[in-house]
Amino acid sequence: MSFDPSLLHNNGHTAFANGTGVGIRETGVVEKLLTSYGFIQCSERQARLFFHCSQYNGNLQDLKIGDDVEFEVSLDKRTGKPIAVKLVKIKPEVLPEERISGQVGPDMHASPITKLHGYIHPVVSAIPTHLDGKSAPGQVPTGSVCYERNGEVFYLTYTPDDVERNMHLDTGDRVSFYMETNKHTGAVSARNIVLVKKKQMRCQGVVCATKEAFGFIERGDVVKEIFFHYSEFKGDLEALQAGDDVEFSIKERNGKEVATDVRLLPQGTVIFEDISIEHFEGTVAKVIPKVPSKNQNDPLPGRIGARINFSEKELPFGEKDTKSKVTLLDGDHVRFNISVDRRDKLERATNIEILPDTFQFTKESREMGVIAAMRDGFGFIKCVDRDARMFFHFSEVLEESPLHISDEVEFTVVPVSRLERSLAKDMLSAQRNHAVRIKKLPKGTVSFHVQSEQRFIGQVDREATPASAAANKNVSPSKAKEKDAEEGVIAYEDCGVKLTVPYYIKDLEGAALPQLGDKVEFSISEVKRTGLQSAVSIKILNRTGNSKRLLGFVATLKDNFGFIETANHDQEIFFHYSEMCGDVDNLELGDTVEYTLSKGKGNKVSAEKVTKVAPVNGIGEDVGTTVLLGKVTRPLRSVDPSQTEYQGLIEVTEEGASKGQSYPFGIVSMASKADCLQKGELVKFQLCTVVHTSQKMACHIVPQRRALVESVKDQFGFITYEVGESKKLFFHVKEVQDGLELQTGDEVEFSVILNQRTGKCSACNVRRVSEGPKPVATPRPERLVNRLKSITLDDASAPRLVIVRQPRGPDNSKGFSIERKARQPGVID
């Protein structure tokens, strides 16, 4: 708005509407103040007058809303409206009052209002800091003072100009002031405000220790701990634990600061440090000692040297600053973040992790080995270069993936001091040496032996036996260890010198066992740790003995023994697992083996030196093309141990010239060697001729089993099929082909397998042939139907329906808006 002072005139008027004449001055209060103009509310009459800032006599910066002014009234020549001119600010009259003192608080109930030395203590609402001195022109920021007199509470406003020495006040501060009353407006305000005492601020921290009746808090404002008694905790004391965020007040008792009024804060409220997002790399200059010395007071004893922002720095670190508990060594190449403490701006390294290339910097001596044993939290390593097994903690594994027995590893051996051994919690941890900084290696990296490239020729001087189980036939193969095997001896010459070297059956090539006098070719392996030599990769060149090796087929496998079907398929030979040359776990029914016969106690024949060999055609080459139908009249002895004959018999049932004839069969005759044929089962088979005896026998036998599913549970079920004394046959759902979900009544085909160790049969390869009838709803029993028909409404014993609450529709209306119709069974509307 533009304003021209020359437009002001009186036009000969000597009075205005209110009766005032020219030159008579009025008083008022500045109601609105903008950049170049404002408005005044007259004190003596109901009028609001415009004024231009050029008409103010004084410093315009001192003029504020609410100030009392004196002025004259004139007319604007252009609009003809009255305006105020010749403005002068007048000082308000101060009514003499006593000086009031008190404290600042959020509201009158935040702290009790009391009298102190005869003065009244008010509560002050502080001026917002974002408005203090930064308000828009004409808008003065104000605060308020609340005080009590004679049981009544009064509120006074104040501005920054009313505060002595421009002191900043906070809510809750104790102050003293005078009251003044504006004679024009009657408004009472506070002035000459003096700060008496600052409000006691609440502090924050984290509980760092808890004792029986007291604890300590690590303060969030200074690097210091403060004591507190449990009686000062306001909350559930049972839930308080180390690490909780709390707030508290500080009081002085017996000359020491203590925390009072301790209250829980949400977790994560208190933050002590800021951690950099950027990662840095450095070198460990000083490691944290395993056992701190008596004079060790530094909580961050470790040091890492790094180049940061083009300058060399040495950053401290403590035990909790490493990502894992893997031992750090001087010179380690590490990656870390930098943490800055908000309280004292101390920088330290944190989130420290060892880099993979650190072993190039430390030049430490690394050893290799294989994980030999593992327990709860620790394990042992079989070392390549040491006799003793090396103890290690799981915390020393560099990779996050877990270790397993037989894993190949690389590690560093560190000695354990006497003091560390004395402080160890168990005897294992107190061993003299530990393996640390364990790194997993690829399979095949670790080797305990060195094998010669040169091949030697020698002669068997003493035969090796499979295991000490030869002396104790009752020991199962799983318990027969390598160290129990009895070694053999080979005599040979090297550069004209006659030498001998031991050998073990496990180091043979091929299935045949060397016998006394056999000529063999071999290499020499030397154990790195002990230097002991033995013959390996042993190959038989010729045989001088006359012992005869026989071929057979595995017919039965029990817990620690089995039976071999002879090459003629007419009988079975017992063998103990201790006579097995190789891993028994690799044997399966029908496997071809080589063995020799021996006689034991009671002149009983058994197989010894059993060796698995390449499969051979056990059923002969003359196999007929005709597929016959038959019935099992006698099973194998492995199915029915009570019978004396080993072979089973199948009788031809289909019409023809061979109907009624019976043919023997053995384990090799089965299409599936694991199938368990029961007496009376129908089968399809072909005929073949045994090479050695020219006898006809059944081969390629496939059982023809069909039965109904009796029931299906969660992961298993039962088939209505008689096996031995059981009337039903168990099966697992994973044995059902094509992933179908069987239902009760389905017709299925299946194979029966016999668990050789438990003697129980189960079904496998279950295939659904046809689906069973769908279940239908069972009709109500006739007796129930008759009962319902005979019930009448007058029958006192009949069940009754009592309406507890009438139905209402969604619109709160009674009854149903749609007419209900009788529904026909099986029909969906």
Side-chain angles (χ1 to χ4, degrees):
M1 175 184 291
S2 62
F3 176 77
D4 186 358
S6 63
L7 295 178
L8 294 174
H9 65 94
N10 294 329
N11 290 335
H13 292 283
T14 59
F16 293 91
N18 63 343
T20 60
V22 177
I24 297 176
R25 298 183 68 79
E26 294 187 30
T27 60
V29 179
V30 177
E31 183 187 58
K32 185 175 183 181
L33 182 62
L34 300 177
T35 305
S36 59
Y37 65 93
F39 291 90
I40 298 172
Q41 179 66 48
C42 298
S43 300
E44 288 82 8
R45 58 194 176 98
Q46 293 294 328
R48 186 171 181 265
L49 301 178
F50 167 87
F51 74 91
H52 195 274
C53 289
S54 62
Q55 292 294 315
Y56 176 68
N57 184 14
N59 187 358
L60 190 61
Q61 298 297 326
D62 295 335
L63 187 64
K64 297 179 176 59
I65 294 175
D67 284 350
D68 294 332
V69 292
E70 189 179 59
F71 56 91
E72 293 181 6
V73 180
S74 179
L75 292 176
D76 188 342
K77 185 182 292 185
R78 184 170 56 188
T79 63
K81 293 182 180 181
I83 60 174
V85 297
K86 299 179 182 180
L87 277 71
V88 177
K89 183 177 179 181
I90 58 177
K91 294 184 178 180
E93 295 183 12
V94 179
L95 297 178
E97 291 284 350
E98 75 272 24
R99 189 167 183 82
I100 307 300
S101 62
Q103 67 179 21
V104 178
D107 54 56
M108 58 174 288
H109 304 291
S111 56
I113 299 175
T114 61
K115 292 209 172 189
L116 180 63
H117 303 298
Y119 294 106
I120 301 173
H121 302 275
V123 178
V124 178
S125 176
I127 299 172
T129 55
H130 69 282
L131 295 178
D132 195 359
K134 300 180 181 178
S135 58
Q139 296 181 350
V140 181
T142 60
S144 62
V145 179
C146 175
Y147 70 99
E148 181 187 13
R149 172 173 289 173
N150 299 329
E152 293 188 49
V153 179
F154 301 91
Y155 291 87
L156 301 177
T157 60
Y158 76 96
T159 66
D161 292 339
D162 297 321
V163 182
E164 297 290 336
R165 297 187 297 275
N166 293 325
M167 181 69 68
H168 176 73
L169 298 179
D170 292 315
T171 300
D173 287 345
R174 291 188 179 185
V175 295
S176 65
F177 60 92
Y178 290 105
M179 291 192 299
E180 69 175 11
T181 304
N182 190 310
K183 69 174 183 177
H184 303 291
T185 63
V188 181
S189 61
R191 72 175 179 84
N192 294 82
I193 301 174
V194 177
L195 178 65
V196 176
K197 185 178 180 182
K198 292 292 289 183
K199 176 195 174 184
Q200 184 182 16
M201 300 299 294
R202 296 280 287 171
C203 298
Q204 294 182 343
V206 175
V207 178
C208 58
T210 55
K211 304 298 181 181
E212 185 175 351
F214 59 90
F216 292 90
I217 300 171
E218 185 176 356
R219 293 173 58 174
D221 53 344
V222 293
V223 184
K224 188 178 180 181
E225 292 181 4
I226 188 170
F227 168 92
F228 76 99
H229 195 272
Y230 286 166
S231 60
E232 293 291 344
F233 179 70
K234 312 300 181 185
D236 184 9
L237 191 59
E238 298 294 332
L240 184 67
Q241 57 185 356
D244 285 344
D245 293 355
V246 293
E247 68 171 357
F248 55 92
S249 300
I250 299 177
K251 288 186 179 180
E252 191 171 304
R253 292 177 182 170
N254 300 327
K256 294 183 179 180
E257 288 184 338
V258 297
T260 61
D261 191 21
V262 182
R263 300 176 185 271
L264 277 177
L265 291 174
Q267 202 69 18
T269 302
V270 183
I271 301 176
F272 292 112
E273 58 191 5
D274 297 310
I275 300 177
S276 65
I277 300 176
E278 181 182 1
H279 284 86
F280 301 90
E281 293 186 7
T283 304
V284 177
K286 180 183 177 183
V287 298
I288 301 174
K290 291 285 186 182
V291 182
S293 62
K294 294 182 179 179
N295 300 325
Q296 178 67 45
N297 295 321
D298 188 1
L300 304 173
R303 295 291 184 271
I304 291 178
R307 186 172 182 83
I308 301 173
N309 296 331
F310 307 102
S311 62
E312 296 293 335
K313 279 190 176 183
E314 193 171 74
L315 300 171
F317 68 93
E319 289 185 356
K320 297 181 180 179
D321 290 318
T322 55
K323 273 194 170 181
S324 65
K325 294 184 179 180
V326 176
T327 301
L328 286 178
L329 298 179
D330 289 338
D332 265 336
H333 189 205
V334 294
R335 180 171 58 188
F336 58 93
N337 300 102
I338 294 179
S339 169
V340 181
D341 197 307
R342 291 183 175 184
R343 299 168 293 181
D344 58 0
K345 307 304 178 186
L346 174 67
E347 292 184 344
R348 79 175 197 278
T350 189
N351 296 334
I352 303 168
E353 55 182 335
I354 300 175
L355 293 176
D357 62 350
T358 187
F359 304 114
Q360 302 174 9
F361 291 81
T362 57
K363 305 297 183 183
E364 62 195 278
S365 177
R366 302 284 285 172
E367 298 186 19
M368 292 191 292
V370 175
I371 302 297
M374 297 177 71
R375 300 289 186 270
D376 186 14
F378 64 92
F380 293 90
I381 300 174
K382 181 181 178 183
C383 305
V384 172
D385 302 319
R386 296 173 185 260
D387 290 332
R389 292 185 175 186
M390 193 62 59
F391 173 86
F392 74 94
H393 276 286
F394 287 174
S395 60
E396 290 290 348
V397 181
L398 291 171
E399 293 86 357
E400 294 183 358
S401 58
L403 287 179
H404 301 89
I405 292 178
S406 78
D407 279 349
E408 300 176 13
V409 293
E410 182 185 60
F411 56 93
T412 301
V413 177
V414 294
V416 180
S417 65
R418 289 185 178 180
L419 181 57
E420 287 181 84
R421 291 201 298 271
S422 66
L423 296 175
K425 296 181 180 179
D426 50 60
M427 294 299 294
L428 295 173
S429 300
Q431 292 188 358
R432 294 185 179 274
N433 294 324
H434 282 188
V436 298
R437 302 154 67 84
I438 300 167
K439 181 181 179 182
K440 193 173 180 180
L441 297 176
K443 284 289 185 184
T445 305
V446 178
S447 174
F448 291 87
H449 306 82
V450 178
Q451 185 171 329
S452 65
E453 296 182 359
Q454 181 183 355
R455 298 285 287 176
F456 299 89
I457 303 294
Q459 190 174 19
V460 175
D461 196 34
R462 187 178 71 210
E463 293 184 19
T465 55
S468 60
N472 182 9
K473 298 290 185 179
N474 295 323
V475 179
S476 67
S478 60
K479 297 180 181 179
K481 300 181 180 178
E482 175 186 329
K483 65 180 181 180
D484 295 329
E486 186 176 343
E487 65 183 28
V489 177
I490 298 175
Y492 72 103
E493 287 189 6
D494 185 17
C495 300
V497 179
K498 292 185 177 181
L499 302 171
T500 58
V501 64
Y503 78 94
Y504 298 91
I505 289 180
K506 66 182 181 63
D507 296 317
L508 297 175
E509 287 186 354
L513 293 177
Q515 298 177 3
L516 187 64
D518 281 349
K519 190 175 182 181
V520 293
E521 183 185 35
F522 60 94
S523 299
I524 294 180
S525 173
E526 182 176 313
V527 180
K528 292 182 180 179
R529 184 176 67 253
T530 61
L532 294 177
Q533 294 182 340
S534 63
V536 296
S537 303
I538 304 168
K539 184 179 179 181
I540 301 175
L541 297 181
N542 63 352
R543 173 160 286 162
T544 58
N546 296 321
S547 60
K548 185 178 180 181
R549 300 285 287 172
L550 303 175
L551 281 179
F553 309 94
V554 177
T556 307
L557 293 172
K558 298 292 184 180
D559 280 340
N560 52 16
F561 64 92
F563 289 91
I564 299 173
E565 181 181 291
T566 60
N568 294 337
H569 313 291
D570 55 352
Q571 58 179 320
E572 57 183 358
I573 305 295
F574 169 88
F575 76 99
H576 195 274
Y577 286 166
S578 61
E579 295 291 345
M580 180 67 194
C581 302
D583 191 357
V584 178
D585 293 334
N586 292 332
L587 272 186
E588 295 181 359
L589 294 177
D591 283 349
T592 306
V593 293
E594 190 179 56
Y595 63 97
T596 57
L597 293 176
S598 67
K599 290 186 178 181
K601 293 181 180 180
N603 220 18
K604 292 183 178 180
V605 178
S606 63
E608 63 179 16
K609 299 179 183 178
V610 181
T611 307
K612 184 178 178 179
V613 296
V616 298
N617 185 6
I619 59 176
E621 298 179 357
D622 184 18
V623 179
T625 58
T626 305
V627 177
L628 303 174
L629 294 178
K631 181 176 69 174
V632 177
T633 57
R634 186 179 70 198
L636 291 173
R637 188 158 59 188
S638 59
V639 177
D640 184 9
S642 62
Q643 66 187 36
T644 56
E645 298 85 357
Y646 163 71
Q647 288 181 314
L649 287 178
I650 296 176
E651 180 183 340
V652 180
T653 58
E654 66 177 340
E655 297 295 332
S658 59
K659 182 179 180 180
Q661 295 185 13
S662 295
Y663 297 96
F665 69 92
I667 190 68
V668 295
S669 303
M670 305 296 299
S672 173
K673 305 296 187 290
D675 213 336
C676 178
L677 286 181
Q678 303 289 322
K679 182 178 180 181
E681 285 192 314
L682 299 178
V683 294
K684 288 183 179 181
F685 65 98
Q686 296 170 270
L687 294 177
C688 67
T689 304
V690 180
V691 176
H692 303 290
T693 62
S694 300
Q695 181 187 9
K696 291 285 185 179
M697 68 177 292
C699 64
H700 298 163
I701 302 172
V702 179
Q704 303 295 301
R705 300 188 183 99
R706 285 195 179 188
L708 300 180
V709 176
E710 181 189 71
S711 61
V712 180
K713 307 296 183 183
D714 184 22
Q715 294 294 320
F716 61 91
F718 292 93
I719 299 172
T720 306
Y721 189 79
E722 184 175 349
V723 179
E725 297 180 356
S726 178
K727 301 296 183 182
K728 54 186 178 180
L729 185 65
F730 170 89
F731 72 93
H732 197 279
V733 294
K734 67 181 181 181
E735 294 291 347
V736 180
Q737 296 182 0
D738 302 326
L740 296 177
E741 185 175 344
L742 296 181
Q743 303 290 337
T744 301
D746 288 351
E747 187 178 16
V748 292
E749 288 183 347
F750 53 92
S751 299
V752 177
I753 57 174
L754 173 66
N755 188 317
Q756 298 281 352
R757 289 177 170 83
T758 63
K760 294 183 178 181
C761 294
S762 61
C764 67
N765 300 326
V766 182
R767 185 177 67 87
R768 185 168 68 186
V769 178
S770 62
E771 294 187 32
K774 297 295 182 182
V776 295
T778 305
R780 288 181 175 179
E782 189 66 27
R783 58 180 178 78
L784 180 59
V785 174
N786 294 334
R787 167 67 175 159
L788 292 174
K789 289 180 178 179
S790 63
I791 293 177
T792 64
L793 295 177
D794 298 331
D795 189 354
S797 63
R800 294 182 178 276
L801 178 66
V802 179
I803 299 176
V804 178
R805 184 180 60 216
Q806 290 292 343
R808 290 185 179 274
D811 56 352
N812 208 28
S813 60
K814 295 182 180 180
F816 298 92
S817 59
I818 302 176
E819 181 183 356
R820 299 185 68 178
K821 299 179 181 179
R823 186 181 69 85
Q824 296 181 0
V827 178
I828 299 177
D829 294 337

